[in-house]
Amino acid sequence: MDISEIWSTVFSFQDYAEILPLVSNSLIAGALLGLVGGMIGIFVMLRDMAFAVHGIAELSFAGAAFALLIGTNVVLGSLVGSVLASLVLGLMGAAAKDRNSIIGVLMPFGLGLGILFLALYEGRSANKFGLLTGQIVAVDTVQLGLLAVCSVVVVVALIAMWRPLTFASVDPAVAAARGIPAGRLSVAFMVVLGLSVALSIQVVGALLVLALLITPAAAAIRVSSNPILTVSLSVAFAMTSVVGGILLALAGSLPISPYVTTISFLIYLVCRLIAWRRDKVRHSEKMAVVAA
């Protein structure tokens, strides 16, 4: 394959206007996932749970693969797998050390189950591949309704426990001393995180869910310490990554995930450069004051 063939595979805007209306459900789903991913990603970063996201994604993948095998709703199967994994992690892994070891045990088990179910599945190979890397046309009207309901549940739950969860995430010892039920909050957050992972897998796939739940929040934290601005930027970055990835994926014949992850990575790279430049200017100003 030469360069021109690679380029036409990645970007080909032929018949773009005719294809665009066909993915309206995916665009709406992408915007919802951007909102959910941007909000919950802040807490994932504060609680240092990036590894947990990956572990839940593997169990969610196993649930989705089993649903595909028996011919039921893939989103529902993904939700069941995610929530079960989240409950196990939330109830058994209060300490970070215990949590990581449990994730290390569950993750290969979930991946193995998922591969087993896909190996037994005799349908279209695109359905198998889509669970790992996402599908641009995977969201039908029924699934979009389920995604919308689950997104509302996640957003409402996060708003309801925002203040105590932030306190417990930043300083769990002081939060516990002041009577905040950190244990119950942790379990509730894990369930909400499981729902978010399950929702994200439908669009970006199990392998690359980190690009939606981690990277936007990590980028926002690099450029702002203001809580409201950080959450707003995280949501904006996540929405830009998903919706932009869907729009670009329409122009090629590749899965959506490479486009989403590339946009997300570029946003993170720009934010790191901005933070580096800002720190350099502040250091120079500080040295100038000292010299004066």
Side-chain angles (χ1 to χ4, degrees), residues 29-244:
L32 290 173
L33 293 178
L35 174 63
V36 170
M39 290 180 68
I40 204 165
I42 295 296
F43 290 105
V44 172
M45 295 301 298
L46 286 176
R47 300 172 74 87
D48 192 19
M49 297 185 68
F51 192 43
V53 172
H54 196 38
I56 294 171
E58 303 295 1
L59 269 296
S60 182
F61 161 65
F66 181 70
L68 184 66
L69 175 64
I70 64 174
T72 59
N73 191 307
V74 172
V75 175
L76 190 59
S78 178
L79 283 170
V80 172
S82 282
V83 172
L84 286 177
S86 302
L87 286 174
V88 170
L89 294 178
L91 293 172
M92 299 181 63
K97 184 179 179 181
D98 292 338
R99 189 175 62 224
N100 287 339
S101 62
I102 294 170
I103 294 169
V105 172
L106 287 178
M107 197 164 63
F109 174 66
L111 186 60
L113 277 180
I115 292 174
L116 171 64
F117 297 145
L118 289 188
L120 294 173
Y121 177 67
E122 296 179 345
R124 295 172 60 240
S125 59
N127 292 336
K128 304 179 185 179
F129 196 56
L131 291 181
L132 293 171
T133 60
Q135 294 187 70
I136 194 171
V137 291
V139 185
D140 58 28
T141 304
V142 176
Q143 291 175 334
L144 180 61
L146 184 57
L147 283 168
V149 171
C150 291
S151 298
V152 170
V153 170
V154 170
V155 171
V156 170
L158 283 176
I159 291 174
M161 58 184 178
W162 195 276
R163 289 178 63 86
L165 185 61
T166 302
F167 194 9
S169 301
V170 173
D171 196 337
V174 175
R178 294 194 176 185
I180 292 178
R184 292 198 294 272
L185 270 177
S186 178
V187 174
F189 174 73
M190 291 302 295
V191 173
V192 173
L193 178 60
L195 289 174
S196 304
V197 171
L199 299 179
S200 305
I201 281 178
Q202 266 299 294
V203 175
V204 297
L207 295 180
L208 301 171
V209 69
L210 295 177
L212 187 55
L213 298 184
I214 305 296
T215 311
I221 289 173
R222 297 298 304 180
V223 295
S224 175
S225 57
N226 181 290
I228 296 176
L229 181 58
T230 302
V231 174
S232 302
L233 286 174
S234 178
V235 170
F237 293 161
M239 283 188 174
T240 301
S241 300
V242 182
V243 176

